[in-house]
Each structure stands twice: as C-alpha cells, then as structure tokens.
Amino acid sequence: MADEKTYIMLKPDAVKRRLIGEVISRIEKKGYQITQAKLMTLDKIVIAEHYAHLLDKPFYPDLEAFMTSGPVFSMAVEGENVIAGMRQLMGPTNIYEALPGTIRGDYANNMTENIIHGSDSEEAAIIEIKRFFE
Ligand code: IDP
Ligand code: MG
C-alpha cells in the first residue's frame, strides 16, 4: 500500500503537560515519519472551521475555550495506512473506552481534554494539512 499522510495535532493539554516528546516517541516507534511540525496558537475562527461538525453541540463552548487556551503542536505524519494507524494509536473519542496502551487511554481522563487530534479520512487529512501548514 502506498504511503499516506495524516494531520496530527497535540492539543493544549499535551503541550502544558510536557507530553510532546512522549507522543512523538510513540509515533516514531511505530515507524511513521514526521514530515512537518510547528508550534502554533489557534484562534476561534480556525477552531470553528476545524470543528465545524461540532458547532451545535452543547460542549462546543468548552471545546473552543480549551483549544484556544494555549499553543498546540501540529504535525504532518507519513506512513503506510497512517490515517487509520494513528487513530488506533490515539484510542477512541470516548476516552472511557480508550484502552491503556493508547495515547488517550494512558493520558486522558476527560472527554474534551484528550491530548491528540488525528484526521479521520484521506479527504480530511488533505484539508487539515492545508489548513494548518499553508
Ligand atoms: P476525534 O477527536 O476522536 O476525531 P470528534 O468527534 O471529531 O472526535 O470530536 C472532536 C473533539 O471534540 C474531541 O477530540 C474532543 O476534544 C471533543 N469532544 C468530542 N465529543 C465530546 C463530548 O461528548 N464531550 C466533550 N468533548 C467532546
Ligand atoms: Mg474528529
């Protein structure tokens, strides 16, 4: 299978908790390659684009406040089947179902502050890499 690219974001809780190195280490141990990386602070406009599918959810205000609370660490990550592979390393959205050994399972104890974002499809990966790196 040809190499794929995905967009990975270490959220403000990961940066504040000094977990950038820990998560990068897991990505590299898996054999994926980080091809772009950048620390950045996001405004409400880009968060509303990135989480457009969640704008009407009751938790959106908390999500917006969290995502703009400090810098995030953005990465483009490359590898065979990396989109699904990273979602597996991350663990599920519902952190109560995230098993130990996954990033969310090991580090997240809250549905909103869950350490990491990863694209969920090829289309999303292309849009998100463009959004955060161009
Ligand atoms: P994903 O990050 O696993 O792709 P999405 O459904 O795209 O999950 O949700 C984006 C983000 O919104 C989650 O990572 C989490 O930070 C937050 N979120 C999702 N569902 C909930 C919820 O039910 N309560 C609080 N926050 C949520
Ligand atoms: Mg998502």
Side-chain angles (χ1 to χ4, degrees):
M1 195 191 271
D3 272 7
E4 254 175 16
K5 260 191 196 180
T6 192
Y7 172 70
I8 297 297
M9 181 200 290
L10 306 187
K11 297 184 181 181
D13 56 336
V15 177
K16 281 194 195 95
R17 290 172 58 191
R18 309 290 193 262
L19 292 172
I20 295 175
E22 173 60 35
V23 177
I24 285 181
S25 165
R26 290 176 182 223
I27 294 169
E28 291 192 327
K29 279 181 202 158
K30 180 73 177 174
Y32 297 143
Q33 180 153 18
I34 296 162
T35 56
Q36 297 182 82
K38 193 176 174 187
L39 199 66
M40 54 181 78
T41 303
L42 305 178
D43 61 24
K44 291 179 181 182
I45 295 167
V46 73
I47 292 302
E49 270 178 33
H50 183 62
Y51 285 140
H53 60 298
L54 300 173
L55 280 171
D56 60 352
K57 299 283 189 204
F59 59 80
Y60 186 79
D62 285 345
L63 180 62
E64 180 192 72
F66 165 55
M67 293 300 298
T68 56
S69 68
V72 303
F73 191 76
S74 284
M75 288 179 274
V77 178
E78 204 170 306
E80 193 172 304
N81 201 29
V82 71
I83 297 171
M86 275 304 309
R87 295 286 302 192
Q88 206 167 37
L89 288 187
M90 286 162 53
T93 309
N94 182 347
I95 54 115
Y96 306 113
E97 290 172 3
L99 295 176
T102 65
I103 294 164
R104 287 171 171 170
D106 285 347
Y107 297 113
N109 55 57
N110 180 292
M111 283 290 286
T112 303
E113 304 196 8
N114 60 1
I115 306 287
I116 187 166
H117 164 84
S119 307
D120 60 10
S121 66
E122 263 180 81
E123 303 74 62
I126 291 164
I127 290 168
E128 291 173 357
I129 289 171
K130 201 172 271 175
R131 175 176 298 138
F132 293 101
F133 284 107
E134 281 175 22

